[in-house]
Amino acid sequence: MNRFSYHRATEAADAVRMGSEPETRFLAGGTNLIDLMKANVERPTQLVDISRLPFNQIEELSDGGLRLGALVSNAETAYDSRVAERFPLLASAILAGASPQLRNAATNGGNLNQRTRCYYFYDGATPCNKREPGSGCSAIGGVTRIHAILGASSACIATHPSDMCVALAALEAKVRVEGPNGEREIDFADYHRLPGDEPWKDNTLAQGEMVTAIDLPANDFTTNYTYLKLRDRLSYAFALVSVAVGLTMDGDRVSKARIALGGVAHKPWRVPSAEALLEGQTPSPQLFARVADALLDGAVGQGVNDFKIELARRAIRRALRQASSGTPQSQIDKQVA
Ligand SMILES: Cc1cc2nc3c(=O)[nH]c(=O)nc-3n(C[C@H](O)[C@H](O)[C@H](O)COP(=O)(O)OP(=O)(O)OC[C@H]3O[C@@H](n4cnc5c(N)ncnc54)[C@H](O)[C@@H]3O)c2cc1C
Ligand code: SF4
């Protein structure tokens, strides 16, 4: 048992002040942090419980978008009628994750900041640069079924486990944070980071910075969208590969395309030049294959996970087919079956 102090913040400024102290963690739903503390992976000396702060609303934005409070649960977000109708890609991605009980407790801010599911990160008996900087990476040369094929480094090949974040990347959300230096907004593409030489840093937050909300800009990905998640079990499992696609169609042509991949890198993976290949074009299997190749340019397996490159290629093509035909996944599944 590691000793730690517990404080329940009643105001954001208090949370930021206490959160700025070293070895302090914010506690939201606790579904990831408490597990990591029990496993002795996270050893904070201070917990700041932010769950009673007033970031628990979903609000309208003037451009027709929505502001999701950081403390709204994943379930409340997915089932909010405005999210379900205007951002069904996000609702599908959230509902593809975890279990109903977990989604009730898990918060939007916590989902962004959940940590990798790399087996070795959880195993205190093995070296891991993310857990113990400088100790080495046990995954390289080890069991890598769930590990990265894109953007990895010689220090870490972990993936980001979130489903919600893959949709947020495709939706080009903005993360609102409050910290010791005030408030700022971070483009979703810049929120999570690649491992590089500092794999212990999952994202670009400074110590003490707290996510207060996630802004969803208005879009019209309400008909031509798909969140396709491929995993070892049909539910209650993290993605081996996932694909979030949002398309705007102008007649039979694509006028705008946004695509993000999950399960393949340390952050949701986007390649704007691959999205541009679709724009102005009529969907076709040949075009989808080119887009998949562009998204996976530079993909490298670790041996055990080499299969993920072909899995991702097929998943991208299937997700684009589903999105462009405006076909919900269940109907496509029936057609394929
Ligand atoms: C068995 C199991 C299966 C799961 N399956 C999936 C899955 O398939 N897909 C998926 O996407 N997720 C899955 N999850 C992960 C789950 O979605 C996350 O645990 C959850 O979203 C974390 O939210 P939380 O509020 O409980 O965060 P907490 O556990 O409270 O916190 C997690 C981290 O975020 C930090 N944090 C929390 N809130 C903030 C904030 N506002 N600002 C800054 N930092 C903050 C904390 O300090 C901590 O480091 C699964 C989890 C479990 C236990
Ligand atoms: S892949 Fe990253 S998280 Fe996993 S053992 Fe290596 S350094 Fe640790």
Side-chain angles (χ1 to χ4, degrees):
M1 176 72 188
N2 297 306
R3 294 179 68 83
F4 61 90
S5 60
Y6 169 91
H7 301 279
R8 178 176 289 166
T10 51
E11 289 182 24
D14 284 342
V16 166
R17 185 178 42 75
M18 289 186 280
S20 302
E21 292 166 20
E23 308 306 326
T24 300
R25 296 283 183 278
F26 295 123
L27 176 68
T31 60
N32 188 218
L33 181 57
I34 300 298
D35 280 359
L36 289 167
M37 288 172 68
K38 287 182 191 165
N40 207 26
V41 175
E42 292 269 15
R43 293 184 289 263
T45 53
Q46 179 170 242
L47 282 189
V48 179
D49 183 345
I50 59 172
S51 63
R52 310 298 162 99
L53 294 180
F55 306 127
N56 56 357
Q57 302 291 321
I58 298 180
E59 298 165 285
E60 292 286 343
L61 292 174
S62 56
D63 73 342
L66 289 176
R67 175 164 295 165
L68 311 176
L71 291 166
V72 180
S73 75
N74 286 177
E76 286 170 314
T77 304
Y79 291 122
D80 183 277
S81 59
R82 294 162 295 178
V83 174
E85 283 162 23
R86 283 147 57 185
F87 300 94
L89 173 57
L90 179 62
S92 324
I94 293 174
L95 294 176
S99 66
Q101 293 90 339
L102 282 160
R103 294 192 298 265
N104 283 339
T107 65
N108 293 333
N111 197 311
L112 262 56
N113 291 290
Q114 64 176 294
R115 309 214 64 196
T116 185
R117 293 282 159 171
C118 170
Y119 325 114
Y120 304 98
F121 177 66
Y122 272 82
D123 176 3
T126 57
C128 167
N129 285 325
K130 193 181 273 296
R131 181 170 26 79
E132 297 287 347
S135 61
C137 173
S138 300
I140 296 174
V143 180
T144 56
R145 186 167 178 79
I146 61 170
H147 288 77
I149 52 173
L150 287 159
S153 73
S154 57
C156 178
I157 58 170
T159 51
H160 194 269
S162 168
D163 291 295
M164 179 181 190
C165 290
V166 185
L168 291 174
L171 293 169
E172 297 183 308
K174 293 184 185 302
V175 185
R176 297 176 64 84
V177 305
E178 187 169 335
N181 298 319
E183 297 180 27
R184 66 182 178 119
E185 192 176 82
I186 308 170
D187 287 342
F188 205 79
D190 299 327
Y191 186 78
H192 296 102
R193 53 186 299 288
L194 293 178
D197 295 334
E198 297 179 310
W200 50 94
K201 294 183 185 171
D202 294 346
N203 56 50
T204 49
L205 288 184
Q207 180 74 41
E209 280 192 314
M210 174 177 61
V211 177
T212 57
I214 302 157
D215 283 359
L216 301 176
N219 71 66
D220 48 9
F221 300 149
T222 48
T223 304
N224 297 101
Y225 69 90
T226 272
Y227 185 70
L228 175 61
K229 177 176 180 179
L230 302 180
R231 45 190 154 172
D232 280 326
R233 275 194 312 259
L234 198 53
S235 87
Y236 203 38
F238 290 90
L240 287 169
V241 169
S242 67
V243 189
V245 178
L247 302 177
T248 304
M249 301 298 292
D250 181 6
D252 65 352
R253 289 177 189 271
V254 177
S255 59
K256 180 177 174 184
R258 295 291 179 267
I259 311 168
L261 307 181
V264 296
H266 202 254
K267 61 185 286 187
W269 191 258
R270 269 189 68 199
V271 179
S273 57
E275 296 165 358
L277 290 174
L278 283 157
E279 293 177 1
Q281 303 300 315
T282 306
S284 71
Q286 295 75 16
L287 178 60
F288 297 160
R290 279 173 50 218
V291 173
D293 287 345
L295 274 160
L296 295 170
D297 187 32
V300 182
Q302 300 286 333
V304 175
N305 72 347
D306 288 353
F307 74 96
K308 285 177 75 169
I309 300 175
E310 182 58 20
L311 187 69
R313 184 171 285 117
R314 293 179 187 207
I316 295 162
R317 284 159 33 190
R318 178 170 149 195
L320 287 169
R321 193 173 74 238
Q322 291 176 188
S324 61
S325 59
T327 313
Q329 177 132 355
S330 53
Q331 289 183 24
I332 277 279
D333 284 341
K334 280 183 203 145
Q335 285 171 22
V336 170

